[in-house]
Amino acid sequence: FSLQSIVLPNSLTTIEYGAFWLCRSLKSVVIPDRVTIIGEGAFRGCNSLQGVVIPESVIEIREDAFSGCTSLPSIIIPDSVKYIEDRAFYGCISLEEIHMRNGNPREIEINAYDQDGGGSVPAFEDACDDCTLFVPPGTVNLYRKHPAFGKFEYIEEDNAPYGE
């Protein structure tokens, strides 16, 4: 299977369970503005994926949605996202930057359990030991106090224009 890029149809509202699971040649995805849910394992194992834009319409990034996307260098998570489930970005070892657009991290439900403390695995586990979490100006302390985001060693204000 040699699909390298895809522009999903504008009528799409949900990317279903395992939709692109193990599409190892997939490098880029354009998700339409009507999608509200990126389903469980939707892009799991897409180890060539280097570019994905999550639109402002997305509310949920479900379990394992991007796990094993080992070539993904950065991700922008829009303000609209309210749920990031277990292992959503598990094993995304090339992640260097995560850009959070939400000015209030308390609005976001994200798995914050340690592997030793609960039965589940955090959303960004084994994803980015040295990556930087970029957050809206003036929110660094809010993110540092959050049970999941506070585990990031590097949290900085994101001064990039939000249209990018």
Side-chain angles (χ1 to χ4, degrees), residues 112-163:
Y113 299 110
D114 291 322
Q115 284 181 315
D116 300 316
S120 53
V121 178
F124 294 99
E125 182 76 22
D126 282 346
C128 51
D129 292 335
D130 295 328
C131 73
T132 302
L133 179 65
F134 287 96
V135 299
T139 64
V140 169
N141 286 334
L142 289 174
Y143 275 87
R144 286 197 194 287
K145 292 176 184 175
H146 189 276
F149 295 116
K151 293 183 181 215
F152 282 85
E153 185 174 348
Y154 306 105
I155 303 176
E156 297 181 16
E157 284 190 6
D158 194 346
N159 295 314
Y162 275 47

Side-chain angles (χ1 to χ4, degrees), residues 12-116:
L12 192 66
T13 58
T14 300
I15 300 174
E16 295 292 339
Y17 172 86
F20 297 95
W21 194 343
L22 296 177
C23 287
R24 297 190 193 281
S25 299
L26 188 62
K27 291 183 180 179
S28 68
V29 175
V30 176
I31 299 172
D33 289 337
R34 294 185 64 212
V35 169
T36 57
I37 297 170
I38 299 176
E40 183 178 340
F43 297 98
R44 183 177 184 175
C46 295
N47 58 3
S48 295
L49 190 62
Q50 296 175 1
V52 60
V53 176
I54 299 174
E56 283 287 338
S57 56
V58 172
I59 297 168
E60 297 179 31
I61 300 174
R62 294 208 172 142
E63 189 172 310
D64 288 313
F66 293 96
S67 68
C69 293
T70 57
S71 296
L72 192 63
S74 67
I75 192 82
I76 297 173
I77 300 177
D79 183 40
S80 58
V81 172
K82 303 302 179 210
Y83 305 97
I84 303 173
E85 292 186 357
D86 297 357
R87 299 180 308 273
F89 295 93
Y90 182 82
C92 294
I93 58 173
S94 293
L95 268 179
E96 294 179 10
E97 298 181 356
I98 299 169
H99 296 262
M100 295 299 301
R101 298 298 197 216
N102 195 318
N104 184 359
R106 290 182 300 251
E107 292 180 349
I108 305 168
E109 287 188 34
I110 182 170
N111 181 352
Y113 299 110
D114 291 322
Q115 284 181 315
D116 300 316

